């Protein structure tokens, strides 16, 4: 009897603890959204709604007390200008965000993980920022780019003359664009997602950012290359969005940097991943299905660009070809990077591995995911924190990428121009000078234009200053 009474007495104070408590408030500010995270003592339900004049977002939490320092939250770089709080209906909490711009709010709860307990997440997406707009299927975008180029060429050719073929040979040499090769660097995880956590508390998102920044400096410090950071701070970006940003930035190559964990402390060493063929194949079906679902978007943009009536089989074949070519490049670059990594770290696997990572699924951008090491291995965790090891990893990654592009430079790149310039010009070759035209060069060497074009595999008619032509014997 007395034991039962004691149990009842114990239950009374417990009932008082049932009320929720906001223990901490954290903000992650990204260019296209802000993420506000409420660390809660227990699961919570929230009511989130917007108000105008002035623009505000209201977050109501039932039966919740505030134990966090709201004034201490750094709001810089976000759309939130001020956070106010108040008591609502006696025991509820009302949090009001004063906003500087229109936002699209979204909220959800997260279960406890290694690092955090119960959380309420409120995402404020910024409408109109490119990254949050409805994505265009990459094949659609590729076809559009081709059509735009073709239309431009047609317009240029049509505007100048009555007889298209000779006028084309008269087209003056264009300056070489000498563009940079763009390397998209994706530091894995970020913001609310710490990635893997090492035995002494090292967070994957932090060490991969260190390595990514070092890689960025190496890329930007090399003539003919330019780096684009997929995330440029401590915030999370969705996986699909990471490849979308790379595509918007016209990346020639995409590299995702990680340092993951295994459920035992033993595994160690670096590995390099490309997309698996099986992944690529199922992705084909996935893109096609998605493009069907977006038919309204595609059809509505511009009648002349509509792909609605294009043969779906052709689209499928095109996507397969593109993905296969891209995958071959990925595997070739991966091999170079793996060789170099072998010089600075033990290799976990001696071949480029293949798996269906979502971040590797760009159909036309060669992509690699690099596991720099196992953060779950205590020795490797220590090494990943060592700045000279970080630099060694970054240099190995860059050297592998650089080797590939020196041997296979994209035609319009500075590297391609330099390679052509380095070729010795003997009697059978001619380097194009400013003002040259194909017909003039052909006449000077006593060769028909058609033969000159054929010998140099010129399908188009654009020639570039510095380009070296082979002069066939007539
Ligand atoms: Zn990771």
């Amino acid at each position: 009897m007395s034991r039962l009474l004691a149990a009842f007495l114990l239950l009374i104070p417990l009932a008082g603890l049932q009320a929720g408590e906001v223990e901490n408030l954290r903000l992650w500010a990204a260019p296209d959204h802000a993420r506000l995270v409420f660390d809660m003592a227990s699961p919570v339900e929230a009511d989130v709604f917007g108000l105008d004049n002035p623009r505000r977002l209201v977050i109501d939490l039932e039966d919740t007390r505030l134990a966090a320092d709201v004034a201490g939250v750094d709001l810089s770089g976000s759309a939130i200008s001020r956070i106010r709080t108040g008591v609502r209906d006696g025991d509820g909490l009302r949090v009001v965000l004063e906003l500087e711009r229109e936002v699209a709010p979204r909220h959800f709860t997260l279960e406890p993980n290694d690092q955090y307990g119960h959380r309420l997440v409120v995402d404020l997406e910024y409408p109109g920022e490119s990254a949050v707009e409805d994505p265009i299927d990459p094949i659609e975008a590729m076809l559009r780019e081709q059509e735009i180029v073709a239309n431009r060429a047609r317009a240029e050719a049509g505007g100048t003359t009555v007889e298209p073929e000779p006028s084309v040979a008269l087209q003056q040499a264009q300056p070489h664009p000498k563009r940079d090769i763009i390397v998209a660097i994706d530091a894995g995880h970020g913001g609310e997602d710490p990635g893997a956590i090492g035995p002494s508390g090292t967070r994957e998102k932090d060490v991969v950012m260190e390595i990514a920044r070092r890689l960025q400096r190496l890329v930007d410090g090399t003539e003919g290359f330019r780096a684009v950071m997929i995330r440029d701070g401590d915030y999370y970006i969705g996986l699909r969005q990471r490849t979308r940003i790379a595509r918007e930035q016209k990346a020639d190559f995409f590299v995702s940097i990680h340092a993951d964990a295994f459920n035992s402390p033993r595994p160690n060493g670096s590995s390099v991943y490309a997309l698996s063929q099986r992944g690529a194949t199922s992705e084909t079906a996935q893109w096609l299905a998605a493009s069907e679902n977006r038919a309204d978007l595609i059809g509505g943009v511009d009648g002349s660009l509509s792909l609605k009536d294009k043969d779906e089989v052709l689209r499928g074949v095109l996507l397969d070809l593109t993905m296969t070519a891209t995958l071959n490049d990925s595997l070739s670059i991966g091999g170079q990077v793996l060789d170099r990594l072998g010089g600075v770290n033990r290799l976990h696997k001696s071949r480029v591995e293949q798996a269906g990572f979502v971040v590797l699924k760009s159909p036309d951008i060669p992509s690699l995911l690099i596991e720099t090491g196992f953060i779950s291995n205590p020795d490797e965790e220590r090494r990943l924190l060592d700045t000279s090891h970080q630099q060694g990893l970054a240099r190995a990654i860059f050297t592998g990428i650089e080797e590939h592009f020196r041997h296979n430079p994209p035609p319009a790149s500075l590297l391609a121009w330099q390679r052509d310039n380095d070729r010795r010009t003997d009697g059978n070759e001619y380097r194009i000078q400013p003002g040259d035209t194909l017909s003039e060069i052909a006449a000077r060497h006593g060769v028909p234009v058609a033969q000159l074009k054929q010998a140099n595999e010129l399908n188009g008619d654009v020639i570039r200053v510095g380009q070296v032509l082979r002069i066939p014997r007539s």
Side-chain angles (χ1 to χ4, degrees):
M1 197 63 190
S2 68
R3 198 178 291 164
L4 194 59
L5 186 66
F8 271 119
L9 287 172
L10 274 171
L11 280 175
I12 292 162
L14 278 177
L17 285 177
Q18 287 303 311
E21 187 174 271
V22 179
E23 296 173 326
N24 193 19
L25 205 55
R26 292 174 290 123
L27 180 75
W28 310 104
D32 63 344
H33 73 273
R35 169 167 286 189
L36 191 62
V37 183
F38 294 75
D39 287 307
M40 304 298 301
S42 51
V44 68
E45 282 198 19
D47 192 13
V48 178
F49 57 93
L51 291 173
D52 283 333
N53 301 319
R55 193 172 273 147
R56 284 153 295 163
L57 191 76
V58 178
I59 303 159
D60 280 340
L61 306 172
E62 253 177 54
D63 198 14
T64 298
R65 294 182 294 140
L66 181 69
D69 170 27
V70 171
V73 178
D74 180 8
L75 302 174
S76 54
S78 79
I80 305 167
S81 53
R82 200 177 150 219
I83 303 179
R84 291 185 284 116
T85 59
V87 176
R88 186 177 157 272
D89 292 345
D91 53 6
L93 174 67
R94 169 162 285 189
V95 178
V96 180
L97 311 180
E98 292 180 4
L99 299 171
E100 280 166 359
R101 57 163 298 162
E102 187 194 346
V103 301
R106 196 167 63 102
H107 72 280
F108 53 92
T109 56
L110 289 173
E111 297 281 303
N113 66 6
D114 287 354
Q115 206 177 6
Y116 300 113
H118 289 282
R119 285 155 291 164
L120 166 70
V121 178
V122 181
D123 277 344
L124 313 177
E125 292 189 340
Y126 306 157
E129 301 298 330
S130 62
V132 295
E133 277 177 20
D134 201 7
I136 292 174
D137 143 31
I139 288 294
E140 168 81 9
M142 272 164 47
L143 290 173
R144 273 191 205 185
E145 279 156 23
Q146 283 168 12
E147 289 198 37
I148 289 165
V149 170
N151 286 337
R152 200 179 294 144
R154 231 173 283 135
E156 280 172 10
T160 47
T161 181
V162 209
E163 297 163 70
E165 176 52 26
S167 89
V168 142
L170 282 170
Q171 195 174 57
Q172 289 207 342
Q174 302 293 307
H176 195 286
K178 298 183 204 166
R179 71 166 182 84
D180 287 335
I181 291 167
I182 296 168
V183 179
I185 303 172
D186 174 39
H189 312 279
E192 189 63 9
D193 170 20
I197 294 175
S200 63
T202 309
R203 297 179 302 188
E204 178 185 0
K205 68 171 184 177
D206 298 329
V207 289
V208 298
M209 195 49 155
E210 290 294 319
I211 297 165
R213 292 242 184 260
R214 288 172 187 278
L215 179 57
Q216 177 190 25
R217 285 195 287 272
L218 289 170
V219 171
D220 282 337
T222 305
E223 195 190 23
F225 286 89
R226 188 160 62 81
V228 166
M229 295 296 275
I230 297 296
R231 77 169 164 95
D232 212 6
D234 192 10
Y235 49 84
Y236 186 76
I237 299 179
L239 298 179
R240 285 284 183 204
Q241 198 152 306
R242 293 179 193 237
T243 60
R244 206 176 307 146
I245 293 170
R247 172 153 250 293
E248 278 170 5
Q249 299 291 323
K250 303 201 180 309
D252 294 283
F253 179 66
F254 175 94
V255 59
S256 190
I257 300 178
H258 291 253
D260 277 338
F262 197 65
N263 56 17
S264 112
R266 223 168 303 129
N268 64 87
S270 306
S271 14
V272 175
Y273 286 90
L275 190 65
S276 77
Q277 283 285 10
R278 266 180 67 191
T281 307
S282 65
E283 188 70 352
T284 307
Q286 205 178 317
W287 279 120
L288 289 175
S291 73
E292 282 293 324
N293 298 339
R294 286 197 298 275
D296 279 347
L297 172 80
I298 293 166
V301 179
D302 178 339
S304 66
L305 291 179
S306 172
L307 293 170
K308 228 172 168 179
D309 50 354
K310 286 217 170 128
D311 189 354
E312 282 304 312
V313 176
L314 176 71
R315 280 169 61 77
V317 168
L318 181 64
L319 183 53
D320 269 345
L321 285 176
T322 310
M323 275 206 162
T324 305
T326 306
L327 188 54
N328 287 339
D329 274 352
S330 303
L331 291 171
S332 149
I333 304 171
Q336 307 263 38
V337 170
L338 199 66
D339 275 357
R340 295 290 166 167
L341 281 171
V344 295
N345 202 23
R346 205 188 82 84
L347 295 180
H348 181 62
K349 290 273 168 64
S350 56
R351 294 184 47 188
V352 177
E353 293 178 85
Q354 293 181 258
F357 290 101
V358 171
V359 286
L360 301 181
K361 290 185 174 179
S362 290
D364 56 345
I365 304 174
S367 306
L368 292 177
L369 185 144
I370 297 176
E371 294 288 359
T372 50
F374 283 88
I375 207 168
S376 46
N377 176 292
D379 184 48
E380 195 140 50
E381 179 189 25
R382 220 172 300 123
R383 276 152 59 71
L384 284 166
L385 286 169
D386 178 85
T387 55
S388 67
H389 184 61
Q390 290 174 351
Q391 185 68 16
L393 289 166
R395 181 164 292 286
I397 295 167
F398 180 59
T399 309
I401 297 169
E402 192 187 10
E403 264 168 17
H404 170 85
F405 282 108
R406 292 230 180 260
H407 287 114
N408 311 281
S413 64
L414 175 71
L415 262 60
W417 183 81
Q418 286 173 338
R419 181 197 55 186
D420 291 346
N421 250 11
D422 288 347
R423 276 188 191 153
R424 266 183 300 131
T425 343
D426 59 27
N428 294 326
E429 289 182 334
Y430 176 75
R431 178 172 304 145
I432 295 169
Q433 305 297 314
D436 277 350
T437 65
L438 264 184
S439 53
E440 201 180 76
I441 297 166
R444 218 183 302 149
H445 293 86
V447 183
V449 172
Q451 207 181 323
L452 183 65
K453 286 176 69 177
Q454 197 189 352
N456 291 280
E457 292 170 18
L458 293 175
N459 298 321
D461 308 294
V462 180
I463 53 172
R464 302 196 184 283
V465 174
Q467 189 178 355
V468 177
L469 296 181
R470 234 164 53 75
I471 308 296
R473 299 189 196 286
S474 51

